[in-house]
Amino acid sequence: MKLNNYIEITNEDNMLLMARYPDSYFDLAIVDPPYGIGQNWKKNKLSKFYNHHNNFNNSIPTDEYFNELFRVSKHQIIWGCNYFWNYLPPTNNLIFWDKHNDTKKQFGSAGELAWTSIKKYPLLKYDFIWSGFATCEPVFKIHPHQKPVALYAQCLSDFATPGMKILDTHLGSGSIACAVHRANIIDKMNLTLTACEHDEEYYNDAILRIKNELQTQSLF
């Protein structure tokens, strides 16, 4: 589905999407693949995602996925890199997202790591509160591993340059699409986003969220 002249999102397997593009077509891939740790939200019976999507996040992508990702994109930012070390070259160019979450008292991790191929910042740290009801932005969560728009906006600010073609192979809640739209409207970045989501329910929820973002932000 083409939402406007710079955001196109499909409901399909990411391998099918990437197969349609030539080598190095995308300037930057920002992806958040499943970590293969199963239903970690099952520990929290109060979570809206309890008993949700029984087969979600039970396995990490294969080496074929990473080979294709590196083929179609010039640079990558890969969240959850600590689960994928077998597929990623050693680097000190990492991003640590500090969620300000006290893991001794609250459900969830204290933060997340991302690997990046762009040799620009050694162990960059982002601070965006994402702990229970305390969040860095108003949000209605539609995905168990949803990330804030502000996090993706910071990635784009630090690593993207005007006119870049962005790829996301695991759209999830659609936060990256909201960030690309804001970067184009506010900062005149002229970015394009190509993304896909395999799960139909998440895809439909994300499309609704992004359409609302496009309509709301465009008013300003």
Side-chain angles (χ1 to χ4, degrees):
M1 178 182 293
K2 201 166 181 63
L3 297 180
N4 57 22
N5 62 347
Y6 53 82
I7 296 177
E8 183 171 6
I9 300 169
T10 54
N11 177 206
E12 65 178 330
D13 186 275
N14 49 49
M15 296 297 287
L16 296 177
L17 182 150
M18 290 189 287
R20 294 197 296 270
Y21 292 93
D23 295 358
S24 301
Y25 178 84
F26 297 100
D27 298 296
L28 176 62
I30 304 178
V31 300
D32 186 19
Y35 306 154
I37 55 177
Q39 298 165 278
N40 56 356
W41 61 89
K42 290 280 285 183
K43 299 175 185 177
N44 184 1
K45 292 185 178 182
L46 298 179
S47 169
K48 65 176 290 187
F49 301 107
Y50 188 73
N51 284 330
H52 197 250
H53 287 248
N54 292 330
N55 296 321
F56 182 79
N57 205 15
N58 285 328
S59 61
I60 66 174
T62 62
D63 55 348
E64 287 84 4
Y65 164 80
F66 286 100
N67 289 338
E68 272 293 89
L69 183 69
F70 291 132
R71 181 188 68 80
V72 300
S73 58
K74 298 172 186 173
H75 292 288
Q76 306 80 29
I77 296 173
I78 301 175
W79 286 100
C81 61
N82 44 306
Y83 298 99
F84 314 127
W85 289 132
N86 288 346
Y87 306 112
L88 304 175
T91 184
N92 67 340
N93 299 102
L94 301 170
I95 302 169
F96 173 63
W97 168 30
D98 186 354
K99 298 180 179 180
H100 295 262
N101 188 56
D102 187 346
T103 57
K104 294 181 179 179
K105 299 179 181 179
Q106 297 168 285
F107 174 76
S109 62
E112 294 186 29
L113 278 175
W115 177 97
T116 174
S117 64
I118 303 174
K119 301 185 185 302
K120 189 175 181 181
Y121 305 108
L123 193 56
L124 190 62
K125 183 173 179 286
Y126 292 158
D127 285 279
F128 295 109
I129 298 175
W130 206 248
S131 176
F133 293 106
T135 58
C136 60
E137 60 193 25
V139 65
F140 176 73
K141 290 190 177 182
I142 62 174
H143 192 281
H145 301 295
Q146 186 164 325
K147 288 178 168 55
V149 175
L151 179 69
Y152 284 105
Q154 191 66 58
C155 288
L156 294 173
S157 176
D158 288 337
F159 295 98
T161 56
M164 272 190 168
K165 294 190 287 287
I166 310 296
L167 170 67
D168 184 1
T169 58
H170 297 80
L171 180 73
S173 66
S175 291
I176 190 172
C178 299
V180 165
H181 178 62
R182 294 182 191 183
N184 287 348
I185 294 296
I186 299 171
D187 301 320
K188 311 300 181 185
M189 290 283 287
N190 195 30
L191 305 174
T192 61
L193 172 68
T194 301
C196 66
E197 171 55 48
H198 186 262
D199 185 282
E200 186 175 5
E201 183 176 346
Y202 289 140
Y203 170 80
N204 291 331
D205 288 345
I207 291 295
L208 289 175
R209 181 188 181 206
I210 297 164
K211 284 183 174 179
N212 183 64
E213 172 75 18
L214 296 178
Q215 183 178 29
T216 303
Q217 288 295 322
S218 295
L219 293 175
F220 299 96

